[in-house]
Structures are given as structure tokens and as C-alpha cells.
Amino acid sequence: MVISSLFVETQPQATARVAEELAKLPGVEVHEVVEYKVVVTIEAGSVDESQEIANGFVTLPGVIGVNLVYVNFEEDPLIERARQMRR
């Protein structure tokens, strides 16, 4: 599992709507709204899946930026395969 924390920058008039839309996405949890930024986490099965979800944020009307804050890798199958190949 990969857990990522991000903040999503929005146009000020779109912040509440963007937060609502983000909360509807599978694996996404909205934690806080601060001015025009929405703090979220993504829980995904792999790094690629997490990145795909985050990349989709920019397609929401009113989103002007997505910033990664933190990533925790637990049992990512892609990373585990890469470790096995090095051995």
C-alpha cells in the first residue's frame, strides 16, 4: 500500500466544490481546507496507481496545482519486484 499526502491548490471560488469532488474519488480522503488549498491523502495499491489518481486532480475544474507533501511506501508490488531483481 502507498499512502500519499498532497495539497490541491484551487481557484478561491472553486475550493468548496473541488473538496467535495475530491472526497468522492476512490482512495481519496479530504482532511482539511485552508483558504484555497485542500489537504488530501491517497491510499493506493502502488506508486503508479497513486500517481494516476493524483494526476486526475488537475482535470477538475478550478484546480490550479497539485503538490506532493509526503509518501509512505508499504508493500508496493513494483518496489518489491525491483528489490527482488537486485538480489
Side-chain angles (χ1 to χ4, degrees):
M1 170 152 317
V2 176
I3 301 171
S4 306
S5 176
L6 307 95
F7 68 87
V8 180
E9 293 181 89
T10 68
Q11 296 170 336
Q13 72 278 9
T15 305
R17 183 179 40 75
V18 169
E20 288 175 12
E21 291 300 315
L22 290 170
K24 294 177 186 176
L25 297 174
V28 177
E29 185 175 344
V30 174
H31 294 279
E32 186 174 8
V33 175
V34 179
E35 295 179 4
Y36 60 91
K37 297 177 184 174
V38 183
V39 180
V40 301
T41 54
I42 298 172
E43 289 189 25
S46 69
V47 173
D48 289 345
E49 185 182 337
S50 181
Q51 184 176 3
E52 185 177 322
I53 293 168
N55 286 344
F57 294 172
V58 297
T59 65
L60 297 173
V63 171
I64 57 175
V66 177
N67 301 280
L68 180 65
V69 176
Y70 172 83
V71 178
N72 183 43
F73 303 91
E74 295 179 6
E75 302 172 13
D76 182 327
L78 297 174
I79 293 173
E80 189 56 36
R81 262 187 259 144
R83 285 184 188 144
Q84 295 297 327
M85 291 176 71
R86 283 191 237 148
R87 292 181 185 169

